[in-house]
Amino acid sequence: YATMKGQDIAIVELGARYADLVDRGITGWRPAVRLPLEREPVVTVGAPLQQDPTTAYLRLASCALQGRAPVVLEYIWHWYDFDRLACRGIAPGSSGSPVISRVTGHVIGLLNTTTQGGRPPYTECSLDHPCEPQGAADPRGLVEMSYATPLVRLDRCFDQTGRFDLGGSGCPLDPGRQ
């Protein structure tokens, strides 16, 4: 399952069972079970995909969340209730990197998009320049801002046996209908 509507997330089924991974010493990060605080301290780590290999190295960034964006627009995509973060050092190509709460140690989101390091846009809300609509005629891109898709309530998209179920009560993911 993958979507760029409402949230930006992919769910992948592995061939290995969870118990088999644990037996091999592989344990996953725990996703958040609550919404983060508005100024919750976070850390993110990722290796952005870059055309210039000298800039494609592992990056660690630390900051506090900057609240929540009700709507984020970029190019043809729209997302809801994304966390804002202004951590320095997040580069384009970092999408999918975990955003980890320094309070709980849980993954609260995945990096989605950023205005950091991008070229000046021709217009707001364009590719590589996300914006937050303030009104019908007033979209605005925030300088040096990154956005993360939240993971809270994602557990509601799995049934009792651990199988993915978009129809689960409270599952926040788009069911795929137009």
Side-chain angles (χ1 to χ4, degrees):
Y1 171 88
T3 185
M4 288 286 281
K5 185 169 72 170
Q7 288 193 337
D8 174 14
I9 197 159
I11 306 291
V12 180
E13 182 178 2
L14 301 177
R17 295 171 27 103
Y18 182 75
D20 296 335
L21 295 174
V22 171
D23 286 346
R24 293 180 187 160
I26 301 169
T27 57
W29 286 86
R30 300 199 63 101
V33 294
R34 65 158 177 82
L35 287 172
L37 303 172
E38 187 169 318
R39 302 275 309 154
E40 189 155 337
V42 297
V43 64
T44 184
V45 63
L49 295 174
Q50 301 283 312
Q51 288 184 349
D52 178 359
T54 64
T55 62
Y57 51 86
L58 193 62
R59 296 167 190 250
L60 175 68
S62 178
C63 63
L65 294 178
Q66 302 293 309
R68 190 150 260 201
V71 177
V72 176
L73 304 174
E74 181 179 350
Y75 187 51
I76 60 172
W77 304 295
H78 60 276
W79 303 292
Y80 304 115
D81 298 322
F82 271 23
D83 291 313
R84 287 187 205 104
L85 53 156
C87 299
R88 292 178 186 228
I90 294 175
S94 296
S95 297
S97 298
V99 178
I100 304 162
S101 166
R102 295 182 80 181
V103 173
T104 66
H106 292 166
V107 178
I108 61 169
L110 301 173
L111 281 178
N112 166 272
T113 188
T114 187
T115 61
Q116 293 189 39
R119 293 180 229 132
Y122 293 109
T123 63
E124 297 291 347
C125 312
S126 59
L127 188 60
D128 297 327
H129 199 273
C131 73
E132 295 181 43
Q134 305 301 305
D138 185 25
R140 114 185 119 119
L142 302 178
V143 177
E144 301 296 307
M145 189 61 64
S146 298
Y147 297 92
T149 189
L151 295 182
V152 70
R153 294 186 293 276
L154 200 60
D155 60 317
R156 298 177 184 180
C157 302
F158 295 87
D159 67 17
Q160 297 283 351
T161 67
R163 295 227 182 262
F164 183 60
D165 179 13
L166 275 175
S169 177
C171 176
L173 299 178
D174 184 80
R177 293 185 292 275
Q178 296 300 321

